[in-house]
Amino acid sequence: MRGPAQPLSRRLDEQQEPLPDVNLGPYLNRVIWLLAGLATLFLGLRVYCKVVRRKPLWWDDYVLIASWVALVVSVALQTVATTHGLGRLYGYLDDGSVSAVAVYSIAAGFASILATCWSKTSFAISLLRLAPSGGGVRLFVWAIIVSVNLVFGSNGLIQWIQCWPVRKLWNWEMAGSCYPPEVVQTYNTFVAAFSGSMDIILAILPWKIILTVAINKKEKLGAAIAMSVGVIAGIMAFLKIRTLYVIGNSNATTVDLFIFGTAEPATCIMAASIPVLRMLIPRKPRDVQNVSFIELPEKGRKGTCSAAVASPSSYVTFLDRSKRSRQSAEEQRWGRRISHLEDAQGRELSEGRELSEGRELSEGRELGEGRRASGS
């Protein structure tokens, strides 16, 4: 998250009045672990909802879990860095502490970049599942996924190659060269602005997708609002721009930069989890006004998703009719079986009667022939 401008081990400017030695490390730990805890809670509830509903995890879930892992790693590295002096002015640290803070800060910033990139990618993958196939929306979402990974991938790479050899990032006495701090600040400003813009675009896209689905307005509005919480992550990204001035500035700490750098992926994870958590909201039967059955458009047909909407009473009537039709079909099936048995028994009875009548006729004939033979 920080870019080199001057050696971190340089002391405070002697021409300026020395700034007080204030340790903001404990404050940083409280904020970043609170954010990580909230992200963990929302992600855990998202996975719980899918497990309860017996729905398998999909690619958006796995990418979001990877983002959460990167976030926790970043927070853990920041916590370790505070034990070496992160949160204090570099001028009050010895050279060993400055090197340790630099290593852990760069690693934490890299993990934070991964968390931000993957959280946006996860939300975009979720939108791909909602967007109608063959439309321009899907192509636009794919363009967002590719551009986000390219921009953040290059930003993460710059974290490590801004000085050459790389070891010069935390060992300023080594021979080598580094990018000017203005270059690093400018590119980080571009990345932050791009990140905030992508968050806002990803928050607007659900409205375009969901509003074209023929479901009741209440459900439509609730789903669209739930998927638009990501705009908060965009606000965090734009606020982070105001903290980039600390890059290469030994008279300022990177606490605010780390806070907003952690808040952005944390809010992205929470925003991506909220739409799934709507099933946790308790609803009374009288509060449920409509039950919607959404059908995706068939292949080869133009247009958006269509839906058939049924009220609870008609839905119950539909269930009753289905139950009665199943019972009627079962009765007809058993009726056919009984009629078959009766027909078989009737055939056996008629065959028995015919057999007995035949026997009596043959016995009568034999008796008549015997009488005629005895008479003659």
Side-chain angles (χ1 to χ4, degrees), residues 167-310:
R167 198 170 182 180
K168 186 173 174 59
L169 285 170
W170 56 87
N171 187 1
W172 284 90
E173 296 180 356
M174 288 187 62
S177 61
C178 294
Y179 293 160
E182 295 79 11
V183 173
V184 179
Q185 289 180 3
T186 301
Y187 187 74
N188 285 338
T189 301
F190 161 74
V191 172
F194 172 82
S195 178
S197 301
M198 290 299 102
D199 286 324
I200 294 176
I201 291 174
L202 290 173
I204 295 175
L205 274 179
W207 290 84
K208 178 175 179 57
I209 297 173
I210 296 176
L211 291 181
T212 57
V213 179
I215 59 177
N216 68 81
K217 294 182 179 180
K218 184 177 180 181
E219 292 293 327
K220 185 184 299 184
L221 183 62
I225 293 176
M227 299 191 71
S228 301
V229 183
V231 70
I232 300 177
I235 296 175
M236 295 296 106
F238 287 117
L239 290 176
K240 187 173 66 175
I241 296 177
R242 301 182 59 183
T243 66
L244 295 177
Y245 75 94
V246 301
I247 296 177
N249 186 357
S250 63
N251 293 326
T253 67
T254 56
V255 170
D256 291 338
L257 179 59
F258 273 116
I259 288 176
F260 286 107
T262 304
E264 184 180 4
T267 51
C268 278
I269 293 174
M270 289 184 276
S273 302
I274 286 177
V276 183
L277 306 187
R278 294 174 65 244
M279 66 164 292
L280 297 177
I281 301 176
R283 297 184 180 182
K284 298 179 181 179
R286 63 184 180 184
D287 294 335
V288 181
Q289 297 180 356
N290 288 305
V291 178
S292 304
F293 304 89
I294 302 176
E295 297 178 355
L296 294 177
E298 298 179 0
K299 293 183 179 180
R301 292 186 180 181
K302 296 181 179 180
T304 56
C305 301
S306 61
V309 181

